[in-house]
Amino acid sequence: MIDLKFLRENPDVVRQSQITRGEDPALVDKLLAADEARREAIKNADALRQEQNGFGKRIGQASPEDRPALIEQSTLLKAKLKEAEATQKQAEQDVFDIQMQLGNVVQGAPAGGEDDFVVVEEVGEKTTFDFEPKDHLDIAEGLGILDMERGAKVSGSRFYFLKGLGAQLQLAMMNLAAQKAIEHGFTLMITPVIVRPETMQGTGFLGQHSDEIYYLQEDNQYLVGTSEVALAGYHSDEIIDLSQGPLHYAGWSSCFRREAGSYGKDTRGIIRVHQFDKLEMFVYCKPEDAEAQHQALLNMERDMLAAIEVPYRVIDIAGGDLGSSAARKFDTEAWIPTQNTYRELTSTSNCTTFQARRLKIRYRDEDGRTQIAATLNGTLATTRWLVAILENHQQADGSVIIPAALRPFMGGIERITK
C-alpha cells in the first residue's frame, strides 16, 4: 500500500500515477478525506482517554458527597470514549479499504495499456531458416519429449507431461539459473506453493487479477502463481538487517495460474499453461537502493537469455499494464520464429515499499529508527523458456541443438534427436 505521508505531501503525484495506470484519480481525494477523518477520530478518542484517566485521581481525592456525581460523570465519559473508539476503528478500516484499492505509485513507466510499452533494446539477430520451421509443439511431440494429449487426459486442458530429454532440458535450464543466482550471492530457496490469505494479499495479488489464482476454499489458502509470494512473506512482521546490504533470495517452485479470461488464447503448446516451474529472484533492500537493484536483476536476466542463445528484446511496461504492486517493470521477450514476434519470457519489477508496508517488513536506518524496506522481483527461468529454446535451435531433420551452457547439466548431450 502507498505511504499516507507521501500521499498527503504529494497528492498530485499519486493522481498522475492513477491516470498513468488508467485508474480512477478520484480515489486519491477519497483517501485523503478518509485519512483526515481518521486523524480527527484518533484526536477525539485520545482527548477523551486523557480526560478519563484524570477522573480516577479526582474521584479518589473527592469528598464523600462529591464522589457520586463524579462517578456518574465518569460512567458517561466511558460511554463516550467507547463510542469514540468505535468511530476511530471504523475510520481506520475505511482508510485501509481505500488504500488497498490504490496501486503503487508509478515511477518512470510510460502511460497507456498493454500495447504502449517502450522498446529499450533488441539483442541478437532474429532467427531465420533455410527450411520451413516447426512450432515448439510439433518439434517436442516429434522428439517424444512433450505429451499434451495425456496431460489433458489426466488433468484437463493446459496441462502436460514433459518426458525424457524434455524433462532434462527443463531441469538443466532451472539448474543453470540456480547456479547463476548463487554466483551472484542469492540464497537458493525451495519455497511453499500454498500460502495464507494475508500473504497473498500482502503481495498485491488479490486485487484486479485475483481470478487468476487457485483458491483452496476448505483450507482458506491459495496456490501461488510465483514464488515471489512466499519469498515476500518470508520476512513479514520482521525487522530485517540491511546493514550489510540487500538480502537476495532465489525461489524454485512449481507455480499455478487459472488463466482466467484467456479462453482461446495460446491454447497450443506450453506458452500459457496452468502449472509450470520457475526460478524467481527476490530482493529486500533500502528504498534508495531499489533502482540499482532493479537494473541488476534485469542484467541477470539478460545474462541468462544470452546463455540459452536466443534473440530477445527488453521492453519498459506501460503504467496501465503494471500489476498493482509494481512501480516499474521491464519484460524480456524472446523471438519466436513460427509466430514471427517476440513473446514474454521473463519480467522484473520494482515494488518499492508497497509490498513491505502491507507485510510490515522494516529495517533500522543509521540512526536506529525503523523504516519500511523495498522489495523487487525478477524471473530467471521458467517452463515457457522451452518454447524459445526449441524453436530457435531446431534443425531441418527435426532435432534440436542444446545451447552450450545447458549441456553440462544434461550429461554433455549436444542434440535432442528422436
Side-chain angles (χ1 to χ4, degrees), residues 225-242:
T226 168
S227 62
E228 170 194 343
V229 179
L231 292 173
Y234 186 67
H235 285 302
S236 61
D237 294 305
E238 293 182 21
I239 298 175
I240 58 178
D241 183 7
L242 297 179

Side-chain angles (χ1 to χ4, degrees), residues 255-272:
C255 305
F256 306 87
R257 295 185 184 174
R258 295 184 60 242
E259 293 296 344
S262 66
Y263 180 79
K265 293 173 63 177
D266 296 319
T267 56
R268 182 173 171 79
I270 57 171
I271 287 181
R272 194 184 295 269

Side-chain angles (χ1 to χ4, degrees), residues 1-5 7-8 27 30-42 87-102:
M1 62 181 70
I2 68 170
D3 181 5
L4 290 175
K5 183 175 184 291
L7 174 75
R8 288 192 292 267
L27 275 175
K30 190 175 179 181
L31 181 53
L32 284 169
D35 180 50
E36 181 61 32
R38 176 189 66 88
R39 293 200 292 166
E40 186 63 28
I42 292 171
T87 300
Q88 176 184 337
K89 184 177 180 180
Q90 183 59 54
E92 289 171 342
Q93 185 64 48
D94 291 343
V95 167
F96 177 80
D97 290 343
I98 302 171
Q99 269 187 295
M100 297 299 279
Q101 297 175 49
L102 279 169

Side-chain angles (χ1 to χ4, degrees), residues 108-110 116-123 294-295 298-299 302 312-318 328-333 342 348:
D116 297 308
F117 57 83
V118 172
V119 177
V120 176
E121 64 176 335
E122 293 189 16
V123 179
H294 199 194
Q295 288 300 316
L298 180 57
N299 287 335
R302 288 186 177 108
Y312 69 91
R313 71 179 181 183
V314 178
I315 62 174
D316 192 354
I317 297 299
R328 196 172 194 183
K329 181 172 80 164
F330 296 103
D331 280 1
T332 52
E333 302 180 323
Y342 290 98
T348 177

Side-chain angles (χ1 to χ4, degrees), residues 21 103-104 202-205 228 323-327 350-352 354-355 358:
R21 285 181 171 277
N104 201 352
T203 50
F205 285 96
E228 170 194 343
S324 63
S325 297
N350 180 2
C351 297
T352 62
F354 188 86
Q355 292 177 328
R358 290 180 172 212

Side-chain angles (χ1 to χ4, degrees), residues 236-306:
S236 61
D237 294 305
E238 293 182 21
I239 298 175
I240 58 178
D241 183 7
L242 297 179
S243 61
Q244 302 303 309
L247 301 180
H248 297 91
Y249 299 102
W252 183 328
S253 75
S254 291
C255 305
F256 306 87
R257 295 185 184 174
R258 295 184 60 242
E259 293 296 344
S262 66
Y263 180 79
K265 293 173 63 177
D266 296 319
T267 56
R268 182 173 171 79
I270 57 171
I271 287 181
R272 194 184 295 269
V273 291
H274 291 308
Q275 179 182 337
F276 52 95
D277 283 355
K278 185 153 70 110
L279 191 82
E280 187 77 2
M281 301 177 289
F282 198 87
V283 178
Y284 294 92
C285 68
K286 297 176 182 178
E288 60 266 28
D289 296 332
E291 189 172 346
Q293 289 295 310
H294 199 194
Q295 288 300 316
L297 293 179
L298 180 57
N299 287 335
M300 288 182 65
E301 292 175 346
R302 288 186 177 108
D303 182 49
M304 185 67 186
L305 285 161

Side-chain angles (χ1 to χ4, degrees), residues 16-23 103-118 208-209 316-329:
Q16 184 57 53
S17 174
Q18 286 290 97
I19 293 169
T20 300
R21 285 181 171 277
E23 297 177 2
N104 201 352
V105 178
V106 176
Q107 293 185 0
E114 184 178 358
D115 299 323
D116 297 308
F117 57 83
V118 172
Q208 57 187 356
H209 298 297
D316 192 354
I317 297 299
D321 198 29
L322 292 174
S324 63
S325 297
R328 196 172 194 183
K329 181 172 80 164

